[in-house]
Structures are given as C-alpha cells and as structure tokens.
Amino acid sequence: MNSHSIMVVPSVFAAFDKDGDGKVSVSELRCCMAASLGEDISEEEAAVVLAAVDADGDGLLNQEEFSRLAAGAHEEDDVRRRCLREAFGMYASSSTEDTTTTMITPASLRRTLSRLGSHELGVEECRAMICRFDLDGDGKLSFDEFRVMMMA
C-alpha cells in the first residue's frame, strides 16, 4: 500500500462485508452503496467500480483494495470541492468589513454573468436567483450555499 492510500477503518469494511468472508462482492458493494450513500447503482455499474480497484482479479475486494476504492472516492470529492471553490471565486466578491468574507452578492453575480456574455440581468433578477439558495436569509450566497445550489 503506498503512502497516498487511505486505510479504511475495519468497521467500515466489515459493514460492507455482509457475509464476513473478508471480501466485498459486487452485490455487497451495490447493497451498501444504496444504504450508505443513497446511490442505487446497477449490478453492471457496481461490477465496473469493483473491477477498477480489484488488483488480484478475483472479482472481490479485500480490505486493501476496498481502501483504494475509498481513497479514490475521497480524492474525487477533493477535486470536486476545489472546482466548486474556483467557480465560487469567479462569482464572489470580498467584503471589506471587520472580517474578509467572500460571498456571492446580487451585484457580483450580475457582474460575472455579464462578463461571461450572458444576457443582461438586473440586480433584482440576480437577487431572485440567489434567494432560492440563500439558506440563512442574508441576501448573499456563502460557499456552502453555492455548493448546495450546484449539487441541486
């Protein structure tokens, strides 16, 4: 196992290894992904996911291979988060209050959409767009609110 791998807590592996044979099968992977992540994937999709990290080719995941799968999912989440941060930064403006907080305001949204060549929107239209995902009601989007909007 290389230094970039994440070692999965044995209890997580055990939760996926329903029959306790020390290996995770396609059906166990599929069942647990549905239960833990809310992702209902087909048998074929689960087989593809399993095959991608099945180093010994036995059609099952041992704990090390399972750890590799978990590490890949973690890295994918990190990449997705970095991309969202970058996109958020394009739309956001920094405030000059006591603390420097970066938020998407109606004005910063309007400015960025205009720069991107979108048809001209008024500040009120931008305010309405923000309002749909403004969870704390402050009239601006924080990164977490932006993330929720992008995942919707």
Side-chain angles (χ1 to χ4, degrees):
M1 187 164 231
N2 67 36
S3 62
H4 298 296
S5 296
I6 294 175
M7 192 62 191
V8 173
V9 177
S11 61
V12 174
F13 179 76
F16 275 74
D17 180 20
K18 294 291 188 193
D19 63 9
D21 66 354
K23 303 271 186 164
V24 173
S25 68
V26 169
S27 61
E28 288 170 324
L29 181 64
R30 184 172 178 240
C31 174
C32 287
M33 285 182 77
S36 64
L37 303 175
E39 282 190 40
D40 190 21
I41 65 170
S42 70
E43 193 83 15
E44 295 79 26
E45 289 171 313
V48 168
V49 168
L50 188 141
V53 292
D54 181 17
D56 60 14
D58 66 353
L60 301 166
L61 298 181
N62 62 31
Q63 190 159 355
E64 184 177 335
E65 292 165 335
F66 185 83
S67 293
R68 234 179 275 125
L69 177 64
H74 181 70
E75 289 167 8
E76 188 177 303
D77 286 345
D78 286 349
V79 168
R80 185 178 298 127
R81 190 170 185 84
R82 277 197 307 274
C83 288
L84 281 173
R85 276 260 179 233
E86 204 170 297
F88 177 76
M90 284 177 46
Y91 289 93
S93 66
S94 296
S95 72
T96 55
E97 298 164 7
D98 302 334
T99 58
T100 303
T101 309
T102 305
M103 304 286 263
I104 297 175
T105 64
S108 69
L109 176 61
R110 181 175 184 256
R111 184 174 49 252
T112 302
L113 289 174
S114 181
R115 266 187 290 179
L116 293 173
S118 182
H119 63 283
E120 201 62 34
L121 292 175
V123 173
E124 286 307 312
E125 292 167 302
C126 291
R127 185 171 285 120
M129 289 171 69
I130 286 174
C131 182
R132 291 186 58 211
F133 295 96
D134 179 16
L135 303 176
D136 62 6
D138 66 356
K140 303 174 241 168
L141 291 182
S142 66
F143 174 72
D144 289 329
E145 291 166 331
F146 177 76
R147 186 171 46 83
V148 167
M149 177 184 79
M150 296 305 287
M151 298 303 187

